[in-house]
Amino acid sequence: MLPPALPPRHLGAAWRPLDGIVRETMRAGSLEEARAVVAERWNVPLAGWIPRAFLLTGRQADAVGMRLAAISVNCGWTMEPADVREAGEAPDVPEHFAVVWRAVANRLGTGEFGAVPLLAAGNHSPEGAADDRWPPVVRWSADEELCRLDLLLATAARIDGLSAPILWESHLLAQSALRPWPVLRALHRIIQVQAEVQDLLAARLASVPYRPTSAAGQRAALSLVAGAPLATFDIPPRLFTPAQQAVDALLGMLSISGGAWFGRRPRRHLSEAQMWALRHLDRIGDGIRTLAGRDEAVGRTFREALMEVRQSHIAYRRLVDAVTGPVAALPTRSTGPG
């Protein structure tokens, strides 16, 4: 579910114009201006990028995909088909951009290329994101200090880093009906990790008012939450990280929101390999839920794990709302808690 390592910080020579387009779309005064930058700058290198996109190696595909993800966020674009978008969400992606996007998505192993998990988990090291040791490859900050959007994406990466041990132990749960003790151990591990996640989110939420913001970062953040669920405890689909989805799958927490089967929607932003992993975890989750209904100790611990994961989701949604909320309500100061 997690990337093995940070992608290269530098693009190959043929793809270096992407960095300039990323910067220009960030400096644009509006979404319309950002889209105009792409329309103007895309025509020259396009002919060479299409065949090269199909030849990208895994690490270079990550590096190129990250820049495409940043451009799409700056322009308010998503590759979700129109029939699954909510009213008022991003317009159709221009074909001259989408053709390269689809080719790179093919190399990344995803048909949709929702992009945001790549920005979070690929743009930041899960370890470095704990204390800003390693700056992101692509950043929306107007100065050296990470802005609110960069903080949010770094936090998403760190959540996945904290959750990784749960996923490493998930194979122990494959025969949960026959072995309740491994289930109890894994559930206690989930509870322990959620305490760490909630501590992280509390610290990051406290630091938001002291973080700088930029017009580009604010627009990009708002584009990430387009079509967000109305319930304050639901996570916007494009910001629901791979490891969060994996933990939900282990607990059978696919949720109903607004009468729609919301639980499946965030998965469209993941790679095909991640989708297959989640389907496997869904089956394990079904077994855990069945065992929880039969075994009193498992049931009690299972309900506690559910409660802790929901609390983490609520705290994460509060951070998302703080980052994307009105800037006037979040005063910027030079120093403060980190």
Side-chain angles (χ1 to χ4, degrees):
M1 296 299 299
L2 304 180
L6 280 172
R9 292 187 174 272
H10 301 291
L11 295 169
W15 294 97
R16 283 176 194 154
L18 275 178
D19 279 328
I21 297 175
V22 171
R23 286 191 294 271
E24 288 188 44
T25 56
M26 284 179 176
R27 289 196 297 263
S30 64
L31 289 176
E32 291 72 22
E33 289 183 21
R35 294 165 189 163
V37 168
V38 177
E40 179 181 351
R41 292 286 306 277
W42 207 259
N43 294 325
V44 175
L46 177 63
W49 280 351
I50 296 174
R52 286 189 177 96
F54 288 101
L55 300 175
L56 288 168
T57 63
R59 292 178 66 83
Q60 271 292 300
D62 283 344
V64 171
M66 191 186 307
R67 273 69 170 192
L68 295 177
I71 292 169
S72 72
V73 169
N74 290 330
C75 294
W77 289 332
T78 172
M79 286 293 277
E80 286 187 339
D83 60 342
V84 298
R85 293 189 214 137
E86 300 291 337
E89 283 197 53
D92 290 335
V93 181
E95 187 61 25
H96 63 278
F97 181 79
V99 67
V100 177
W101 197 347
R102 291 192 193 101
V104 175
N106 180 270
R107 300 303 296 168
L108 292 169
T110 174
E112 303 280 352
F113 191 16
V116 182
L118 184 68
L119 276 175
N123 203 19
H124 301 263
S125 161
E127 294 77 22
D131 54 13
D132 299 339
R133 281 200 307 268
W134 297 317
V137 181
V138 174
R139 57 193 297 168
W140 279 264
S141 305
D143 52 35
E144 288 303 310
E145 185 181 5
L146 296 185
C147 73
R148 290 168 187 165
L149 175 59
D150 294 321
L151 175 75
L152 176 60
L153 294 174
T155 302
R158 184 60 184 152
I159 289 172
D160 278 12
L162 289 172
S163 302
I166 298 173
L167 308 185
W168 296 335
E169 297 178 4
S170 63
H171 67 282
L172 298 175
L173 308 177
Q175 297 182 13
S176 57
L178 303 178
R179 301 186 299 170
W181 286 109
V183 173
L184 281 171
R185 187 177 77 176
L187 291 174
H188 282 297
R189 183 64 169 148
I190 290 174
I191 294 167
Q192 176 188 20
V193 167
Q194 295 312 305
E196 298 174 18
V197 168
Q198 289 167 32
D199 287 344
L200 167 71
L201 290 168
R204 294 297 170 87
L205 185 61
S207 75
V208 165
Y210 305 95
R211 290 282 178 157
T213 190
S214 64
Q218 190 70 4
R219 284 198 311 273
L222 290 172
S223 76
L224 292 180
V225 299
L230 294 178
T232 57
F233 50 81
D234 280 336
I235 300 170
R238 299 177 76 190
L239 289 169
F240 203 2
T241 74
Q244 284 176 315
Q245 295 189 54
V247 173
D248 276 20
L250 271 176
L251 295 175
M253 288 181 65
L254 289 177
S255 60
I256 301 294
S257 178
W261 188 237
F262 171 69
R264 298 287 178 183
R265 188 179 177 199
R267 296 188 177 186
R268 287 197 292 272
H269 304 301
L270 304 182
S271 71
E272 194 62 32
Q274 290 170 325
M275 294 273 280
W276 278 107
L278 286 179
R279 294 186 188 113
H280 174 66
L281 295 178
D282 284 336
R283 292 191 291 272
I284 294 176
D286 289 341
I288 293 174
R289 290 182 69 91
T290 299
L291 183 61
R294 296 201 310 260
D295 186 290
E296 182 180 352
V298 172
R300 183 169 57 251
T301 310
F302 175 76
R303 289 188 293 274
E304 184 179 355
L306 284 178
M307 181 180 68
E308 291 301 319
V309 171
R310 288 191 180 112
Q311 288 299 318
S312 294
H313 288 353
I314 291 170
Y316 184 53
R317 176 62 187 265
R318 287 182 65 203
L319 178 64
V320 171
D321 289 345
V323 168
T324 58
V327 174
L330 302 169
T332 298
R333 286 162 56 179
S334 57
T335 59

